């Protein structure tokens, strides 16, 4: 695939096929860690790193081991084990070098292990028929899209906190309504990326 195709994959993953706002994967950290900007950015970087590393490890495992030995049915289990190992690595690094971020992410950092967006990226890269480079570009775009959604929504939530909201909408209801509006805004990108490079 040429450079133009890689740009389409990247931009499509960030804007059009955003895993949080279009495919609705990874909602738990999206709602749980988007209250403060620094937490949202930290979680976004961590998820992007895990997505990239998980793709770099799972794609060769799928192509050279699982498919060659007829073990494709173990894909989900193998991918989850790889992702869990990578999350443990990220947690150890953050705890040693950035303890404040490790503390602020709290329970949500280990939850990257069960973040369906990370597993979804690794499996969708295989099912979409991407080669290794395309898979890495797709994973980068998905991670950046996840971080973009987190950052935008942290800004929305900070405005919500400053607003006067009726009692019946306070807390989770207004958060879900705001998330739906942000999601609707991202649906406006559908078709734009392909037309830009046509």
């Amino acid at each position: 695939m040429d450079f133009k195709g890689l740009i389409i994959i990247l931009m499509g993953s960030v804007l059009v096929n955003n895993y949080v706002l279009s495919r609705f994967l990874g909602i738990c950290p999206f709602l749980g860690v988007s209250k403060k900007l620094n937490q949202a950015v930290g979680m976004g970087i961590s998820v992007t790193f895990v997505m990239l590393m998980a793709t770099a490890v799972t794609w060769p495992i799928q192509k050279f081991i699982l498919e060659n030995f007829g073990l494709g049915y173990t894909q989900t289990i193998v991918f989850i084990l790889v992702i869990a190992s990578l999350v443990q690595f990220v947690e150890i690094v953050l705890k040693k070098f950035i303890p404040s971020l490790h503390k602020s992410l709290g329970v949500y950092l280990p939850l990257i292990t069960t973040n369906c967006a990370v597993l979804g990226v690794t499996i969708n890269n295989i099912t979409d028929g991407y080669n290794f480079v395309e898979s890495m570009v797709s994973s980068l775009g998905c991670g950046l899209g996840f971080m973009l959604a987190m950052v935008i929504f942290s800004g929305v939530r900070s405005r919500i906190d400053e607003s006067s909201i009726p009692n019946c909408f306070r807390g989770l209801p207004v958060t879900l309504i705001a998330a739906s509006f942000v999601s609707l805004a991202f649906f406006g990108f559908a078709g734009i990326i392909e037309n830009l490079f046509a």
Side-chain angles (χ1 to χ4, degrees), residues 1 6 9 55 59 130-139:
M1 180 174 274
L6 294 176
I9 291 173
T55 298
W59 193 92
Y130 289 154
N131 62 33
F132 183 76
V133 174
E134 292 167 346
S135 295
M136 292 301 292
V137 170
S138 171
S139 297

Side-chain angles (χ1 to χ4, degrees), residues 151-165:
V151 168
I152 288 173
F153 199 56
S154 72
V156 170
R157 289 185 78 170
S158 68
R159 294 298 299 266
I160 289 171
D161 290 342
E162 298 169 1
S163 301
S164 176
I165 299 167

Side-chain angles (χ1 to χ4, degrees), residues 19 25-26 47 50-51 54-55 58 74-84 111-127 139:
Y19 268 68
L25 297 173
V47 168
V50 171
M51 282 183 178
T55 298
T58 57
T74 63
Q75 179 190 58
T76 303
I77 295 169
V78 171
F79 285 17
I80 288 173
L81 290 173
V82 169
I83 292 165
L111 284 177
I112 296 175
T113 303
T114 58
N115 186 342
C116 53
V118 178
L119 181 61
V121 166
T122 57
I123 291 176
N124 284 334
N125 285 336
I126 302 294
T127 57
S139 297

